[in-house]
Amino acid sequence: MTAIVGLVQDRRVWMAGDSSANDTDSLYSTSREQSKVFRNGQYLVGVSGQTRCAQVMRYVLIPPIMPAHIKGIDEIVEFMVREFVPVLRTCLDEHGVTTGEVTDPFPGNALIGVRGNILEMEPDFQVESNTELFNAAGAASAYCLGAFHATRDLIDDPWTRIRTVLKAAAAYSMVVKAPFSVEVMEPDE
């Protein structure tokens, strides 16, 4: 259970996540030291769901390099669907996160920052970009999206806004905990 948030401002991608680790069977909850938001190659990634999945994506996955000529959102999504997702699926299968079945779901959701955009990868491995300059994933995503919407014209500083969004989610969702980790990807990365 978690909250991963992403914001694009001045072509920079800001991504942050909480530290909650929950066992839904026993209702045990603690904070984890490893960030749910990390860089892997030219990608900024935030993962909700299974910790093992996030670990494989962070420490094992060697993502394909997006060629420099790919810039538009349609081209970026096409590259992610054609190149990134198959490499990710193979890596997750080889490391026991998924079984290799075509219908085997991604164990969570992920936000992926690349080329000044935030993409969302759903459990069926679809990759999409929404029309907003922000997005959220995880069990508390609705709280985060509401807080993003409410702060749209009130908070201009991205650092303050993203922390305000996560604090709102933590105040109203029992599955979100501080501390929050924040990463920023510059437009030319």
Side-chain angles (χ1 to χ4, degrees), residues 15-141:
M15 197 172 293
D18 75 321
S19 299
S20 180
N22 301 285
D23 178 351
T24 55
D25 292 334
S26 67
L27 300 180
Y28 173 75
S29 179
T30 188
S31 292
R32 53 186 273 185
E33 289 187 38
Q34 293 79 27
S35 177
K36 298 174 188 178
V37 176
F38 52 88
R39 292 171 184 261
N40 188 336
Q42 64 190 142
Y43 304 94
L44 182 56
V45 181
V47 181
S48 71
Q50 283 186 6
T51 300
R52 174 74 177 143
C53 178
Q55 290 170 336
V56 170
M57 288 183 73
R58 183 177 196 164
Y59 300 119
V60 180
L61 176 67
I62 301 171
I65 296 171
M66 188 179 292
H69 71 276
I70 295 178
K71 299 211 189 276
I73 191 62
D74 288 336
E75 293 174 311
I76 291 170
V77 170
E78 180 181 359
F79 177 85
M80 296 298 285
V81 169
R82 288 179 180 259
E83 305 295 331
F84 185 94
V85 169
V87 169
L88 173 61
R89 288 189 75 142
T90 298
C91 183
L92 294 175
D93 293 347
E94 289 175 352
H95 291 86
V97 177
T98 54
T99 63
E101 296 296 319
V102 175
T103 58
D104 197 14
F106 178 76
N109 289 63
L111 295 184
I112 302 170
V114 62
R115 303 260 162 93
N117 296 280
I118 299 170
L119 306 173
E120 183 174 6
M121 189 171 62
E122 299 282 346
D124 64 356
F125 290 91
Q126 78 178 18
V127 177
E128 60 188 23
S129 171
N130 72 22
T131 57
E132 300 287 352
L133 294 176
F134 57 82
N135 206 342
S141 62

Side-chain angles (χ1 to χ4, degrees), residues 3 140 143-144 147 164-176:
Y143 297 101
C144 296
T164 300
V165 165
L166 285 172
K167 285 179 182 179
Y172 293 98
S173 173
M174 63 185 242
V175 298
V176 178

